């Protein structure tokens, strides 16, 4: 993962260290420990709605603090590894509840719950026979907690904003290149997508290229499999592919020809999983990316040239 002064100190004690941890918590949504990327991601939320940005910050802070209280190591806290799932729970809370007053304590509690859930997922992968594969918990804690928030707050749900209707294949594809990126954080906005993508290129050109590659492949597969133009244009068919491409190409595997090949194949599989999961009621969140990446990391374990980071 890229860094931007992340190793300024190895203890969580000063306000600066905590601030760095919170900023990295946002950038870690896309596997980066880069404060500038984090700032651009927060700006992307603000472009969508300042109330969403506030809920994301609350979720990130709550998750980071709870993780530290549960014994997370100082370097992990400073790197943002305790905050990103909470940040996403804050985004999911806004997506379901909007900016009503009740959303704020719910984002706080949901963010805090990410810490023990993450501990359980990590335990599953480190204290069972699965430990041989060194699988990451990644955004699974977010998906689990966000689903709990969604099911337990149905009486408070608000209607989703009307989606942009697109009837042109080239326009749908072009728009999706950015909305696939923004929909990773539950935002349907091309400007938000552009801000996030800029942040990814700042973190690492390879990460930026992988994001674009995953976005393009995800959309092409969605269109080829008959996904609607509106669904594709709004990023709902390709966002998981963005994460899969970054994860396999440059994050969990050392960047090489085999890692990029696995990223391409994995992104195609992610698109298929996404289409299947769209048949289920409710949001799929990032499950298509999670499940595909876990499977491909298991496969990579048996490929000598696919080296883990």
């Amino acid at each position: 993962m890229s860094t931007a002064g992340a190793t300024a100190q190895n203890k969580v004690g000063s306000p600066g260290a905590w601030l760095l941890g919170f900023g990295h918590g946002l950038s870690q949504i896309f596997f980066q420990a880069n404060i500038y990327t984090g700032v651009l991601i927060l700006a992307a939320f603000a472009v969508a709605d300042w109330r969403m940005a506030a809920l994301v910050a609350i979720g990130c802070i709550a998750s980071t603090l709870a993780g530290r209280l549960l014994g997370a190591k100082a370097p992990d806290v400073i790197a943002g590894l305790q905050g990103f799932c909470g940040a996403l729970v804050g985004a999911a809370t806004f997506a379901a509840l909007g900016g009503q007053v009740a959303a704020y304590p719910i984002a706080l509690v949901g963010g805090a719950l990410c810490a023990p859930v993450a501990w359980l997922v990590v335990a599953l992968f480190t204290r069972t026979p699965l430990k041989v594969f060194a699988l990451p918990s990644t955004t699974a804690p977010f998906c689990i907690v966000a689903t709990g928030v969604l099911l337990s707050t149905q009486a408070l749900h608000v209607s989703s904003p009307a989606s942009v209707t697109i009837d042109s294949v080239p326009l749908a594809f072009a728009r999706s290149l950015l909305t696939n990126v923004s929909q990773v954080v539950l935002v349907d906005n091309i400007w938000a997508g552009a801000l996030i993508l800029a942040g990814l290129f700042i973190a690492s050109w390879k990460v930026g290229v992988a994001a674009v590659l995953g976005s393009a492949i995800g959309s092409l597969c969605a269109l080829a499999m008959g996904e609607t133009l509106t669904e594709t244009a709004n990023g709902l068919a390709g966002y998981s592919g963005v994460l899969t491409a970054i994860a396999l190409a440059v994050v969990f595997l050392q960047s090489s020809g085999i890692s990029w090949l696995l990223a391409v194949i994995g992104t195609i599989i992610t698109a298929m999983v996404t289409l299947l999961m769209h048949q289920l009621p409710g949001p799929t969140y990032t499950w298509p990316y999670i499940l595909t990446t876990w499977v491909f990391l298991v496969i990579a374990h048996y490929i000598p040239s696919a080296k883990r980071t």
Side-chain angles (χ1 to χ4, degrees), residues 146-166:
T147 299
V149 169
L150 187 72
L151 295 176
S152 63
T153 61
Q154 294 186 48
L156 299 173
H157 289 184
V158 297
S159 300
S160 301
S163 298
V164 175
T165 301
I166 302 292

Side-chain angles (χ1 to χ4, degrees), residues 180-275:
N180 285 339
V181 177
S182 67
Q183 281 288 6
V184 170
V185 295
L186 292 88
V187 172
D188 178 9
N189 186 293
I190 59 172
W191 303 113
L195 284 170
I196 295 171
L197 191 58
L200 297 182
F201 273 102
I202 287 173
S204 166
W205 70 266
K206 289 183 179 180
V207 171
V209 169
V212 174
L213 177 69
S215 183
I217 293 174
S219 291
L220 289 173
C221 289
L223 292 170
M225 293 186 295
E227 192 66 87
T228 67
L229 293 182
T230 296
E231 192 94 343
T232 302
N234 292 329
L236 295 173
Y239 67 89
S240 274
V242 173
L243 290 176
T244 299
I246 299 172
L248 295 177
V250 295
V251 174
F252 298 123
L253 298 175
Q254 294 180 20
S255 180
S256 65
I258 189 63
S259 77
W260 285 86
L261 176 60
L262 289 173
V264 170
I265 299 172
T267 302
I268 294 171
I269 298 300
T270 299
M272 297 178 182
V273 174
T274 299
L275 192 64

Side-chain angles (χ1 to χ4, degrees), residues 13-249:
S14 70
W18 281 108
L19 185 61
L20 201 59
F22 297 145
H24 288 164
L26 296 172
S27 65
Q28 285 288 3
I29 294 171
F30 292 87
F31 320 105
Q32 306 307 302
N34 187 298
I35 192 65
Y36 305 113
T37 303
V39 169
L40 286 173
I41 290 174
L42 186 60
F45 283 116
V47 164
D49 193 302
W50 69 267
R51 298 169 299 174
M52 188 179 201
L55 289 170
V56 166
I58 289 171
C60 182
I61 291 170
S63 182
T64 301
L65 291 173
R68 181 60 171 167
L69 289 173
L70 285 178
K73 297 178 181 178
D76 288 344
V77 173
I78 295 173
L81 296 175
Q82 299 302 311
F84 66 98
C85 281
L88 286 171
V89 167
T93 300
F94 180 83
L97 278 67
Q100 60 184 295
V101 174
Y104 295 87
I106 290 171
L108 181 68
V109 174
L113 284 174
C114 285
V117 172
W119 186 91
L120 290 171
V121 177
V122 169
L124 173 66
F125 290 148
T126 58
R127 303 185 183 186
T128 70
L130 290 172
K131 65 183 180 182
V132 67
F133 300 114
L135 298 177
S137 61
T138 189
T139 53
F142 147 65
C143 292
I144 294 168
V145 174
T147 299
V149 169
L150 187 72
L151 295 176
S152 63
T153 61
Q154 294 186 48
L156 299 173
H157 289 184
V158 297
S159 300
S160 301
S163 298
V164 175
T165 301
I166 302 292
D167 57 7
S168 163
V169 172
L171 182 58
F173 176 76
R175 190 175 192 277
S176 72
L177 292 178
L178 292 176
T179 56
N180 285 339
V181 177
S182 67
Q183 281 288 6
V184 170
V185 295
L186 292 88
V187 172
D188 178 9
N189 186 293
I190 59 172
W191 303 113
L195 284 170
I196 295 171
L197 191 58
L200 297 182
F201 273 102
I202 287 173
S204 166
W205 70 266
K206 289 183 179 180
V207 171
V209 169
V212 174
L213 177 69
S215 183
I217 293 174
S219 291
L220 289 173
C221 289
L223 292 170
M225 293 186 295
E227 192 66 87
T228 67
L229 293 182
T230 296
E231 192 94 343
T232 302
N234 292 329
L236 295 173
Y239 67 89
S240 274
V242 173
L243 290 176
T244 299
I246 299 172
L248 295 177

